[in-house]
Amino acid sequence: MHKPKVIVTRQWPAEVETQLKALYDVQLNTSDIPFTPEQLKHAFQSADAVLTTVTDTINAEVLSVENIRAKIIGNFGVGYNNIDIVTAKAQGLVVTNTPHVLTECTADIGMLLLLMSARRASEGERLILNKQWIGWKPTQLIGQKVTGKTLGLIGFGRIAQAMARKAHFGFGMKIIFFNPSAPDQTIVDSLQATRCDSVEEVLSEAHFVSLHCPGGAATKHLINEERLKLMRPSAHLINTARGDVVESQALIKALKEGWIAGAGLDVFENEPNLDPEFLELNNVSLLPHLGSATEETRLAMGNRVLTNIAAYFAGTEPPDRVV
Ligand code: DGY
């Protein structure tokens, strides 16, 4: 029987690659070197399904390639701001993502960064690694207590809600949030959360602000100089969403000049080429986009893509279709 041709742009968990080999005429990326735009275009010309991920820029130019063969993009990732959805739709492509399976692990990284930033963990580790620690003292690396403080969430989707649960039930934090649409009130009530009328209100009230909005043009530089200045000088900003939601230069200025106390970042503008000034700062905790990086989650993400393309090739609706 003729097997659909599938191209995978990066290396995936071994179990998922084994499944792909069994089911499809698959081209894997064993070198794991990201595709160039030319390679991406060629993939769209030569495969029925292109399995991309958040590091692939699937823009109008790539999608407007002549003689396009691909019918479906199975994106390995819940965020799909790497794909020009408008052009994909115009080209008749189906696009799927991998929601649900990375919610808890990404929220865990949010809490990890919140704690690291509050308790100056990165600074402390550097002290030890640089062999500068000369012993305990009452005034060393004094951070901020987390328990009982207010966590402000910008966006209140699945990951924000998971982080709110961890923060509220684990650390007794008060939850406030801004979300453009009204979320399920039973969830809001279960967290004793308060919906704010604006991003500004969250920024000015919260001790910790965590970002959970999608990336893309609508949220680019949502957190800018003006908004950072609204935060408490003792506040911390956590970003596990997308790098360009925060204007890097404004955040660097805020951290240098003490408008806020610290930041915990898992995502950056122009990843992986983050602004080198971040490396010079003591009051920032930096992680290399680890949100979904657990064995269980990455396997589940791959399986989610398998389910989506299997549904498509069986002529049924892929469960995680976004376009
Ligand atoms: C996503 O899925 O969007 C993350 O950024 C990578 O797991």
Side-chain angles (χ1 to χ4, degrees), residues 54 77-79 102 242 289 292 298 301:
V54 296
V78 66
L102 44 70
R242 281 292 181 263
H289 204 146
S292 62
R298 290 286 162 86
M301 289 166 77

Side-chain angles (χ1 to χ4, degrees), residues 2 48 94 102 113 119 128 253 266 291 308 311:
H2 164 78
D48 300 300
V94 169
L102 44 70
L113 284 168
R119 301 304 303 273
I128 292 180
K253 207 164 160 196
D266 189 42
N308 283 316

Side-chain angles (χ1 to χ4, degrees), residues 66-87:
E66 277 178 8
N67 303 322
I68 190 162
R69 169 174 168 182
K71 297 281 178 288
I72 177 166
I73 304 175
N75 201 48
F76 184 101
V78 66
Y80 50 88
N81 60 309
N82 56 308
I83 301 168
D84 180 336
I85 290 297
V86 176
T87 310

Side-chain angles (χ1 to χ4, degrees), residues 37-240:
E38 286 315 306
Q39 286 173 306
L40 287 171
K41 284 183 196 168
H42 188 250
F44 278 91
Q45 286 172 321
S46 48
D48 300 300
V50 183
L51 307 189
T52 58
T53 191
V54 296
T55 54
D56 298 310
T57 303
I58 312 298
N59 57 19
E61 195 198 321
V62 168
L63 292 171
S64 304
V65 70
E66 277 178 8
N67 303 322
I68 190 162
R69 169 174 168 182
K71 297 281 178 288
I72 177 166
I73 304 175
N75 201 48
F76 184 101
V78 66
Y80 50 88
N81 60 309
N82 56 308
I83 301 168
D84 180 336
I85 290 297
V86 176
T87 310
K89 198 172 175 181
Q91 291 284 58
L93 279 151
V94 169
V95 179
T96 62
N97 70 341
T98 60
H100 306 289
V101 290
L102 44 70
T103 302
E104 294 300 330
C105 288
T106 306
D108 288 350
I109 287 285
M111 281 310 296
L112 174 67
L113 284 168
L114 186 155
L115 290 164
M116 285 173 79
S117 194
R119 301 304 303 273
R120 302 173 67 175
S122 300
E123 226 177 315
E125 189 180 46
R126 273 196 297 275
L127 201 69
I128 292 180
L129 293 175
N130 293 336
K131 300 192 168 46
Q132 287 167 341
W133 188 43
I134 50 168
W136 187 89
K137 58 179 184 168
T139 55
Q140 189 173 54
L141 288 177
I142 305 304
Q144 269 131 20
K145 184 174 175 178
V146 169
T147 300
K149 294 280 175 63
T150 298
L151 171 62
L153 302 155
I154 309 288
F156 200 61
R158 286 179 295 264
I159 297 171
Q161 290 170 20
M163 183 156 169
R165 276 195 302 278
K166 292 169 203 292
H168 181 66
F169 296 113
F171 293 86
M173 295 183 86
K174 179 181 167 208
I175 306 299
I176 63 172
F177 68 91
F178 171 76
N179 197 59
S181 57
D184 182 340
Q185 193 56 37
T186 54
I187 295 173
V188 178
D189 292 344
S190 71
L191 293 162
Q192 295 172 288
T194 303
R195 183 176 175 205
C196 297
D197 292 331
S198 63
V199 170
E200 286 74 12
E201 196 180 329
V202 174
L203 293 175
S204 54
E205 278 187 30
H207 298 105
F208 297 90
V209 174
S210 187
L211 305 176
H212 297 281
C213 41
T219 55
K220 188 171 160 78
H221 293 178
L222 179 82
I223 303 300
N224 54 19
E225 194 165 320
E226 199 183 328
R227 289 202 166 113
L228 283 164
K229 281 186 173 153
L230 298 175
M231 292 176 69
R232 298 169 186 255
S234 59
H236 296 254
L237 180 74
I238 311 303
N239 192 6
T240 56

